[in-house]
Amino acid sequence: MENRITGEMTERVKVVDATLRDGGIVNNFYFPAGFAAALYAANLAAGVDIMEFGYKVSKKLFDVTKFGEWKFCDEYSLRAVVGENNTKMKISVMSDVGRVDLKTEVLPKDKSVIDIYRIATYVSQADEASQMINYCHDMGYQTCCNIMAISRESEEDLRAALGKIARTSADVIYIVDSFGSLYPDEMAHLCDMYGEIAYKHGKKLGIHAHNNQQLAFANTIACIDKGVTYLDATVGGMGRGAGNCALEALIGYLRTPRYDINPILQFIREHLNPVKRSGVEWGYDVPYLLTGLNGVHPYAAIDFMKDGREDYERFLAEITKKA
């Protein structure tokens, strides 16, 4: 079969594996021994461009006894897996606005194997996010900005936030469907709107999709068709709640010799399937559909399922304020 992407686009596309970060939300970042090293090796063999190892958050804010190591991404943890990372694949971490002490917990680039800091922000935090982006850039890192929960924002407010972020040192600005509420046509519109603001400042665009309505893959494809080049995915779609665009589906779709699906398939068989069999849960389910349809944070569905409930009609009434 022919490649799905051709010419210049083939060189510009960057596949980003976010399994340890978004998937870590499912299990408090407690992965089996050897999981991260095996995923690193699989991503290298598959040709993945960027591997996000997890969050970089402050131990002053989070109890280290309640989370695995990829909640914090200490330098020694990273180096235990990647060494000096003398490869083409870049190493990424994510920091939420206000959840990392920049001056004490973000090392200068020459002292770290991290290549990219991704700053996660809400529209209302755009000013603080801008400061974080510029700080990380000045420390020597490539930077991305993930503007979350955009489906609940007005276009006016979103444009204002984008304008601020576009004037920072960010290399990439991400379209993030946090609630899995958006559809391909809406994604196409957002690509145009983001591009109108971002491209004139020399920024690239990325897509991070959630699968509440089983549209993470379709929405990612819609963004590729609009020229978005940074593509987030997770192995097996592992991620908070309904999960994300599946890495193996994305690589299969792209059909370019740059990427090889086989190492990912082997990783799923040998490492991800045992995690699922151990009882760790993620992926599409009716409660996630209902939160996605109504633009509600998926934590409501997570709590619903933890309680063992199946009264979907009542849950729908609760989340739409009709109960």
Side-chain angles (χ1 to χ4, degrees):
M1 295 185 178
E2 294 182 358
N3 294 353
R4 290 290 189 180
I5 54 175
T6 57
E8 182 185 356
M9 192 69 170
T10 302
E11 298 303 317
R12 290 169 55 211
V13 161
K14 305 293 183 186
V15 171
V16 183
D17 169 49
T19 305
L20 290 179
R21 202 271 306 167
D22 214 320
I25 299 172
V26 176
N27 59 3
N28 287 335
F29 302 89
Y30 287 116
F31 291 95
F35 187 95
L39 181 57
Y40 175 71
N43 281 331
L44 282 174
V48 167
D49 299 285
I50 301 167
M51 179 173 172
E52 186 167 67
F53 267 76
Y55 282 103
K56 186 71 173 177
V57 300
S58 179
K59 294 180 180 179
K60 302 171 187 176
L61 300 176
F62 294 89
D63 185 344
V64 296
T65 67
K66 295 182 179 179
F67 299 95
E69 61 189 334
W70 305 121
K71 179 76 171 179
F72 306 98
C73 287
D74 291 322
E75 196 68 24
Y76 63 82
S77 295
L78 290 165
R79 290 182 185 274
V81 175
V82 310
E84 293 298 321
N85 188 39
N86 295 317
T87 74
K88 292 182 179 180
M89 185 169 72
K90 295 184 181 297
I91 303 302
S92 163
V93 295
M94 178 172 282
S95 289
D96 291 305
V97 167
R99 292 188 175 181
V100 64
D101 187 329
L102 294 173
K103 293 184 178 180
T104 64
E105 294 170 331
V106 177
L107 301 175
K109 173 66 187 87
D110 61 6
K111 296 182 180 179
S112 177
V113 292
I114 297 168
D115 299 295
I116 302 169
Y117 267 83
R118 304 213 297 178
I119 307 305
T121 182
Y122 293 107
V123 162
S124 62
Q125 301 169 310
D127 289 330
E128 191 174 354
S130 297
Q131 295 173 8
M132 287 183 68
I133 291 164
N134 289 334
Y135 183 89
C136 291
H137 171 83
D138 291 344
M139 294 292 277
Y141 297 97
Q142 295 180 35
T143 54
C144 303
C145 185
N146 290 35
I147 305 177
M148 303 181 292
I150 58 174
S151 59
R152 70 183 183 189
E153 301 291 346
S154 70
E155 185 163 324
E156 179 182 3
D157 288 344
L158 182 54
R159 281 181 174 273
L162 283 168
K164 293 177 181 179
I165 300 301
R167 289 190 291 273
T168 70
S169 302
D171 298 288
V172 186
I173 301 175
Y174 263 82
I175 301 166
V176 183
D177 184 13
S178 301
F179 300 164
S181 298
L182 299 172
Y183 296 92
D185 61 323
E186 294 173 306
M187 282 293 189
H189 170 70
L190 286 167
C191 290
D192 289 338
M193 185 180 76
Y194 274 57
E196 174 191 338
I197 297 169
Y199 292 149
K200 65 185 177 182
H201 292 280
K203 312 304 181 187
K204 300 178 178 66
L205 294 183
I207 169 63
H208 182 88
H210 279 265
N211 206 38
N212 297 61
Q213 300 185 80
Q214 302 195 80
L215 288 172
F217 181 45
N219 283 339
T220 300
I221 291 172
C223 290
I224 295 171
D225 290 344
K226 295 294 289 186
V228 172
T229 50
Y230 280 68
L231 314 173
D232 278 19
T234 62
V235 178
M238 187 181 189
R240 184 203 64 203
N244 304 88
C245 176
L247 179 63
E248 60 276 14
L250 178 60
I251 288 176
Y253 172 80
L254 294 174
R255 293 200 190 106
T256 168
R258 280 182 56 196
Y259 305 113
D260 182 359
I261 195 173
N262 285 291
I264 303 302
L265 298 179
Q266 180 180 348
F267 177 84
I268 292 171
R269 183 181 74 251
E270 296 180 353
H271 298 278
L272 192 68
N273 287 347
V275 169
K276 272 208 154 184
R277 289 194 292 268
S278 74
V280 178
E281 296 182 356
W282 70 88
Y284 170 81
D285 210 324
V286 170
Y288 297 126
L289 169 67
L290 298 178
T291 56
L293 285 169
N294 292 281
V296 174
H297 199 293
Y299 281 133
I302 292 171
D303 290 340
F304 176 89
M305 295 174 70
K306 281 182 178 178
D307 291 340
R309 293 175 58 184
E310 294 185 353
D311 52 331
Y312 303 124
E313 301 93 331
R314 181 170 179 80
F315 178 63
L316 177 60
E318 291 170 356
I319 64 174
T320 54
K321 311 298 184 185
K322 296 179 181 177

